[in-house]
Amino acid sequence: MWFWRRNGTGGRASVLAQRAVAEGPRSGTSASWRAEGWAGEILRAVEAHPPVPFAVIGGGSSEKASRSFVNTIVLCVLVLTILSGCALFTPREEVQLKKATVEELTALLGQREAAIQTMRGLFSAKVRGGIIPIATRVEGAVYYQRPNAMRMRGFTAIGSELFEFVQANDQFTLRLPTMGRVVSGSPSDMSEMGKLARPFQLSVWAMGGVLGTSSVATNETVQLVEDGERYRLDISGPSHDGVQAIQRRLWFERRTLLVVKEDRLSNVGDVEATIQYEDFRPIGDANGGSAVGDERLVRPFKISLEDGKGRGSVQVTFHEIVPNQPINASELGHV
């Protein structure tokens, strides 16, 4: 429904598509193929050497011949069963886990945050639990320019504007056309927004995961914990009483070192929100500077937020993300 025209593309809208890799129906080295091959060999061997008549075996002792024949059949059945069962057990592929230090992960956060200077995005949001009194499903657009200029607009499925949220420096303005309200204040204190403060705070955190999880500030300390196939980074900062307290927890997936989960904590240590990052895809032009070091820039296209107090959840799914293209002042709005 929403698109923008990019310079040099002749008005064509950029579309991001997923690719699926199709695999063949059967691998020539699979366990099931080997089992079928052995089974065929055994059956051919039985056909080539039919059982000897009972009267001939053991000098005419039919009872001994019968037991011998039954034992042979049982053994063949057991062999076939074991070989067929091998198809159920395939060797587990060894997982290559990367090693990283606190300094390396901290530097990686800073690089990923700095990699996006501007961004346009189209998204859909589903809200559950009644934490937002506007709508349970929102179609939206977001515009961003570093260091902290952001504009989010929300619409109904038929295109009616639900809200406009504009943030610049240390000020924000929220406009609600359907309610006839305009609220302004500081992002550090959204109490003026009343019941709307919580959902918009969650939305800002969700956008932060796409822009690049916030880097570690100079007045923050970091502790690294090895948590199975993930690294956990505990980030502490000064609280209201001046004591260092954990404010964020970040989980890095150790095969890619991407942040896949984040906890936001209050000054007293309660979890305010848990954020899951999924569906990572490359964005931008591979030859246009959209990279972190030698790796292509990737971002999560699905973000799920759970309110720490159990008041609801927000799921944001991006349809398109366009990084590092010029943005007009009119697109960023005004406070």
Side-chain angles (χ1 to χ4, degrees):
M1 180 175 68
W2 299 99
F3 70 94
W4 41 64
R5 181 170 299 177
R6 297 175 60 185
N7 295 332
T9 63
R12 296 188 299 272
S14 60
V15 178
L16 203 58
Q18 289 180 296
R19 295 181 298 215
V21 179
E23 297 182 355
R26 185 181 70 184
S27 173
T29 59
S30 67
S32 60
W33 182 86
R34 292 194 299 269
E36 292 174 3
W38 280 104
E41 292 295 333
I42 292 174
L43 291 176
R44 285 192 290 273
V46 173
E47 292 174 356
H49 303 282
V52 181
F54 294 153
V56 178
I57 300 177
S61 175
S62 61
E63 183 179 351
K64 292 182 179 180
S66 177
R67 285 199 300 268
S68 176
F69 181 75
V70 170
N71 291 338
T72 301
I73 294 299
V74 171
L75 179 61
C76 289
V77 171
L78 288 175
V79 171
L80 289 173
T81 302
I82 293 172
L83 292 176
S84 298
C86 291
L88 300 176
F89 302 96
T90 57
R92 183 180 178 183
E93 182 180 354
E94 185 178 355
V95 178
Q96 298 295 328
L97 302 180
K98 295 183 178 180
K99 296 288 186 179
T101 64
V102 172
E103 292 77 15
E104 290 171 339
L105 293 178
T106 301
L108 195 57
L109 289 176
Q111 293 169 8
R112 289 173 179 169
E113 184 182 40
I116 291 185
Q117 296 298 312
T118 65
M119 188 193 81
R120 295 183 182 90
L122 299 178
F123 64 89
S124 297
K126 295 180 181 179
V127 183
R128 296 183 176 89
I131 62 175
I132 182 171
I134 299 176
T136 57
R137 183 176 180 88
V138 177
E139 303 295 328
V142 59
Y143 308 85
Y144 171 80
Q145 186 173 54
R146 192 164 297 282
N148 53 13
M150 180 189 296
R151 182 190 186 195
M152 285 190 294
R153 302 183 69 191
F155 304 87
T156 65
I158 60 175
S160 300
E161 188 176 25
L162 291 169
F163 66 85
E164 179 189 36
F165 178 83
V166 180
Q167 176 179 312
N169 298 320
D170 195 35
Q171 293 293 316
F172 76 85
T173 296
L174 173 64
R175 187 169 59 88
L176 302 167
T178 57
M179 302 174 64
R181 292 182 60 190
V182 177
V183 181
S184 299
S186 171
S188 59
D189 181 14
M190 293 187 174
S191 57
E192 293 291 333
M193 298 175 65
K195 293 182 179 181
L196 295 173
R198 192 61 179 167
F200 278 96
Q201 180 64 76
L202 294 176
S203 300
V204 171
W205 285 342
M207 296 305 162
V210 176
L211 298 172
T213 306
S214 300
S215 58
V216 178
T218 55
N219 63 344
E220 293 179 322
T221 58
V222 181
Q223 181 180 3
L224 180 62
V225 178
E226 194 169 323
D227 189 4
E229 294 188 359
R230 293 180 177 182
Y231 281 127
R232 191 186 81 222
L233 210 60
D234 294 344
I235 304 174
S236 301
S239 58
H240 293 311
D241 55 7
V243 180
Q244 289 286 106
I246 297 178
Q247 298 178 345
R248 290 186 291 154
R249 287 195 177 102
L250 305 178
W251 281 264
F252 293 78
E253 204 280 325
R254 291 184 60 185
R255 286 171 293 182
T256 60
L257 296 183
L258 294 171
V259 177
V260 295
K261 180 181 175 182
E262 178 179 5
D263 275 355
R264 293 275 183 162
L265 282 72
S266 66
N267 289 326
V268 295
D270 296 331
V271 177
E272 290 194 14
T274 297
I275 311 170
Q276 303 277 354
Y277 302 108
E278 305 173 79
D279 190 15
F280 287 85
R281 308 182 203 174
I283 62 174
D285 186 357
N287 300 319
S290 296
V292 177
D294 297 329
E295 298 182 0
R296 181 81 179 273
L297 183 62
V298 297
R299 285 296 186 264
F301 273 62
K302 180 181 178 182
I303 304 172
S304 303
L305 302 94
E306 291 286 341
D307 183 85
K309 299 179 181 179
R311 292 182 294 187
S313 64
V314 178
Q315 180 178 302
V316 179
T317 302
F318 276 87
H319 308 300
E320 186 174 17
I321 298 175
V322 180
N324 301 329
Q325 296 295 320
I327 289 184
N328 299 325
S330 60
E331 293 178 295
L332 292 172
H334 58 86
V335 178

